[in-house]
Amino acid sequence: MEVRYSPGNEVVCGRDSRVQRAEVLELSIRTSSETILHDKELLKSWLSSTYKSYSEPSPGYVSVYALHESSVDWMPEWKFERAKHCKISSGTGQSFYFRRSCLNKVLVDAMFWLTTELRVYLVSGPPGVGKSEFTIWLAGQLGLPVYRLCLSSTRLTDERLAQMLSPSAITFNSVLLQVDEFQSVLSRWTDQDSNHSHGNCSCGVTAAGFAECLQGSSAMARGVVVLTGTSEITRQLTNTNLPAFFRRLHCCAELTWMSDNDKRV
């Protein structure tokens, strides 16, 4: 095999005017008319396995990404935020996670459908019971990076959200998307319905726009979406008329305070 490297030309690009180079690594092998197809397939297979190994998170850690907006004139970008220890029942300190039986159905469903379609879960409970820690544990179990999304920003529109969740923006084949404080989002959508009935207009991501992204036709086609929020969501589910959104929920679970038996365990 012959390897040729070209540093490429320096190009100033991006909103922060950073200097990048279009580096090229060219691989070539001697072949013949009889073996050219086999050699080409061998090279493709090797490159595919190499990229898969490169894109997988480091063993024992979960990569966490968040949206960063450097200017109101530019689209937000996903940026690596931190690497968190995987949560396991046999771990200690920051690596420990107490597996709750009420969340087993979410894990089983996610592991079954992960590679074929997008699954959406709603996890509710009082503040401090471990909903965010559950997402880190679930991501470690599934081997996925966590993308944290805040839908409260009024500058994040339906069009921007679809772009942020498109394959060109998310470089991984599959991710765990966490939307925290979802009860406040539901309240805003309820207020928007009331404002629209009075002729007013609201900004931000709408329920219809978010439901379209969950459909997978214009955004994520597979992976896991975890919506977390307080127990107020249970009351909002009965008072909010959002059938197009709620029928896209595949599983709901409620995480409560630990029982006496949980504490003993």
Side-chain angles (χ1 to χ4, degrees):
M1 178 182 292
E2 181 181 351
V3 181
R4 289 191 295 177
Y5 169 75
S6 173
N9 298 323
E10 292 187 347
V11 179
V12 178
C13 58
R15 64 194 67 176
D16 51 357
S17 300
R18 61 184 179 275
V19 178
Q20 288 189 339
R21 292 186 301 177
E23 299 172 295
V24 176
L25 193 67
E26 184 180 294
L27 310 178
S28 60
I29 55 176
R30 292 185 177 274
T31 186
S32 63
S33 57
E34 292 81 10
T35 62
I36 183 172
L37 294 179
H38 175 268
D39 293 339
K40 182 179 180 181
E41 189 61 33
L42 179 66
L43 197 60
K44 286 173 60 181
S45 175
W46 177 66
L47 289 173
S48 178
S49 63
T50 302
Y51 174 75
K52 181 180 179 181
S53 176
Y54 163 77
S55 59
E56 288 179 346
S58 302
Y61 288 89
V62 173
S63 299
V64 180
Y65 294 80
L67 277 180
H68 287 252
E69 188 173 16
S70 57
S71 172
V72 295
D73 299 324
W74 296 89
M75 290 291 296
E77 288 182 313
W78 292 106
K79 295 289 187 180
F80 174 77
E81 200 171 55
R82 65 176 66 90
K84 303 200 70 171
H85 284 282
C86 289
K87 305 286 184 178
I88 54 177
S89 300
S90 59
T92 58
Q94 296 297 323
S95 299
F96 172 74
Y97 181 78
F98 181 62
R99 182 170 174 173
R100 310 286 293 277
S101 58
C102 61
L103 299 172
N104 285 341
K105 56 182 179 180
V106 174
L107 174 64
V108 172
D109 187 271
M111 296 187 72
F112 185 81
W113 294 103
L114 176 63
T115 59
T116 56
E117 64 176 73
L118 180 67
R119 305 298 284 180
V120 185
Y121 308 118
L122 177 64
V123 179
S124 61
V129 294
K131 298 184 293 295
S132 295
E133 293 300 298
F134 164 72
T135 61
I136 299 296
W137 172 76
L138 182 63
Q141 295 293 312
L142 303 176
L144 300 178
V146 174
Y147 276 55
R148 287 181 169 165
L149 177 65
C150 178
L151 294 180
S152 301
S153 174
T154 56
R155 291 199 296 264
L156 187 63
T157 62
D158 292 342
E159 293 76 13
R160 281 193 168 191
L161 180 64
Q163 288 180 296
M164 292 300 97
L165 300 182
S166 64
S168 60
I170 297 180
T171 55
F172 297 93
N173 292 328
S174 186
V175 302
L176 188 153
L177 181 70
Q178 180 194 6
V179 182
D180 200 9
E181 301 297 334
F182 195 65
Q183 75 281 348
S184 62
V185 179
L186 284 177
S187 298
R188 180 166 60 85
W189 287 345
T190 304
D191 294 339
Q192 282 181 339
D193 291 339
S194 176
N195 290 335
H196 282 305
S197 64
H198 291 84
N200 298 324
C201 181
S202 300
C203 301
V205 176
T206 64
F210 189 53
E212 180 63 26
C213 291
L214 298 182
Q215 186 71 24
S217 58
S218 60
M220 298 173 62
R222 58 184 177 181
V224 174
V225 178
V226 180
L227 312 173
T228 58
T230 62
S231 302
E232 184 184 352
I233 292 180
T234 305
R235 178 184 59 81
Q236 291 174 330
L237 289 178
T238 59
N239 299 333
T240 305
N241 185 24
L242 298 171
F245 167 73
F246 288 115
R247 66 169 172 259
R248 287 167 172 79
L249 294 177
H250 296 100
C251 186
C252 298
E254 185 176 6
L255 186 62
T256 60
W257 300 108
M258 288 192 296
S259 64
D260 291 339
N261 182 65
D262 291 335
K263 297 174 184 177
R264 284 191 293 269
V265 172

